[in-house]
């Protein structure tokens, strides 16, 4: 089946630093990758959509200068949280599409970010 | 704008019961409806995906149905087990993105 990995699985950083999260599609080429954020006891909220080689499309209310997304290849997308603050602490999940079923997304295991 | 709602928000049942989780969506123009399971602190596990041309999908003790015209999907879990305890999320797939429901937290008591 289609497998998506994320690295790291968890990260703790100091306020003001930047953190990069990687999302990889391991056994298929992902035409589109998505980044979601999930706060405790809440559902997933889409942050941005990225296509390989193109600029990401951000959802309303998501600061593109704070959450930098790079989709340099068909198997790798990165999310960089710049100048992280405690309110950025959350569970970040990526997904990738490009399988046989149109629009089906395959989800990574998530990255727990804690900003002190 | 698509909105997805799940009822109930939380459910606690004794082991062995059959149960139904509900998912409602406001825009019937969807490509897929997918059900996921999420354990505490973990990522999503895909359970069933129903394409818009399909009415239902089955996997083991799970059965999911889709009625696009009424904007509803149900997830049926037969003979529930304590290991089924988790949060269940449905997601409606539009042109390019998923909109997730609010989730149902299920607890199956031994």
């Amino acid at each position: 089946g289609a497998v998506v990995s994320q690295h790291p699985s968890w990260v703790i950083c100091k306020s003001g630093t930047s953190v990069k999260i990687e999302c990889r599609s391991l056994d298929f080429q992902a035409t589109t990758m998505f980044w979601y954020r999930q706060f405790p006891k809440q559902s997933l909220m889409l942050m941005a959509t990225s296509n390989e080689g193109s600029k990401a499309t951000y959802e309303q209310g998501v600061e593109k200068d704070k959450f930098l997304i790079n989709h340099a290849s068909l198997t790798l997308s990165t999310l960089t949280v710049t100048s992280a603050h405690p309110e950025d602490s959350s569970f970040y999940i990526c997904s990738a599409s490009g399988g046989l079923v149109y629009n089906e997304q395959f989800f990574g295991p998530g990255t727990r970010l804690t900003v002190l | 704008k698509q909105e997805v709602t799940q009822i109930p928000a939380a459910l606690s049942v004794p082991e062995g019961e059959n149960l139904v989780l509900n998912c409602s969506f406001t825009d019937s123009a969807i490509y897929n409806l997918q059900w996921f399971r999420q354990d505490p602190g973990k990522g999503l596990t895909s359970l069933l995906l129903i394409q818009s041309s399909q009415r239902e999908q089955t996997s083991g003790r799970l059965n999911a149905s889709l009625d696009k015209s009424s904007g509803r999907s149900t997830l049926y879990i037969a003979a529930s087990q304590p290991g089924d305890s988790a949060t269940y999320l449905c997601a409606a797939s539009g042109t390019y993105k998923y909109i997730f429901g609010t989730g149902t937290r299920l607890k199956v008591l031994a």
Side-chain angles (χ1 to χ4, degrees), chain A residues 36-92:
Chain A
Y36 295 83
R37 181 167 51 183
Q38 185 179 34
F39 291 109
K41 298 192 183 301
Q42 295 187 23
S43 192
L44 278 75
M45 297 297 293
L46 179 67
M47 299 175 66
T49 302
S50 72
N51 293 294
E52 183 259 342
S54 303
K55 287 185 177 180
T57 301
Y58 291 80
E59 295 297 302
Q60 192 172 9
V62 178
E63 301 173 59
K64 61 181 180 181
D65 294 330
K66 181 170 185 62
F67 299 99
L68 302 179
I69 291 172
N70 183 278
H71 192 165
S73 76
L74 285 172
T75 59
L76 174 64
S77 176
T78 60
L79 168 68
T80 301
V81 183
T82 62
S83 187
H85 290 285
E87 56 266 29
D88 299 322
S89 298
S90 187
F91 194 50
Y92 292 87

Side-chain angles (χ1 to χ4, degrees), chain B residues 10 26 39 54 57 66 68 71 78 80 94 99-101 104 106 109:
Chain B
T26 56
D39 293 288
Q54 299 171 330
Q57 285 287 332
L66 174 63
K68 282 182 57 178
S80 59
I99 303 297
F100 280 84
T104 293
L106 171 65
L109 305 170

Side-chain angles (χ1 to χ4, degrees), chain B residues 14-98:
Chain B
E15 181 178 8
E17 276 204 7
N18 301 324
L19 50 98
V20 175
L21 308 182
N22 297 291
C23 172
S24 299
F25 47 95
T26 56
D27 185 351
S28 62
I30 62 171
Y31 283 101
N32 307 313
L33 191 293
Q34 195 162 356
W35 283 91
F36 298 87
R37 167 186 174 140
Q38 186 175 32
D39 293 288
K42 303 293 185 182
L44 303 181
T45 299
S46 177
L47 298 174
L48 291 166
L49 180 147
I50 312 174
Q51 298 181 58
S52 62
S53 60
Q54 299 171 330
R55 297 281 294 186
E56 66 177 343
Q57 285 287 332
T58 298
S59 175
R61 294 183 294 109
L62 305 179
N63 175 277
S65 65
L66 174 63
D67 184 345
K68 282 182 57 178
S69 61
S70 66
R72 294 182 182 178
S73 176
T74 61
L75 178 66
Y76 176 83
I77 303 176
S80 59
Q81 303 171 358
D84 294 329
S85 298
T87 295
Y88 290 80
L89 295 165
C90 67
S93 166
T95 304
Y96 68 94
K97 62 183 181 181
Y98 280 21

Side-chain angles (χ1 to χ4, degrees), chain A residues 22-36:
Chain A
E22 291 187 350
C23 177
R24 293 181 184 272
S25 58
L26 299 184
D27 51 3
F28 69 103
Q29 292 186 325
T31 51
T32 307
M33 287 185 165
F34 305 82
W35 287 94
Y36 295 83

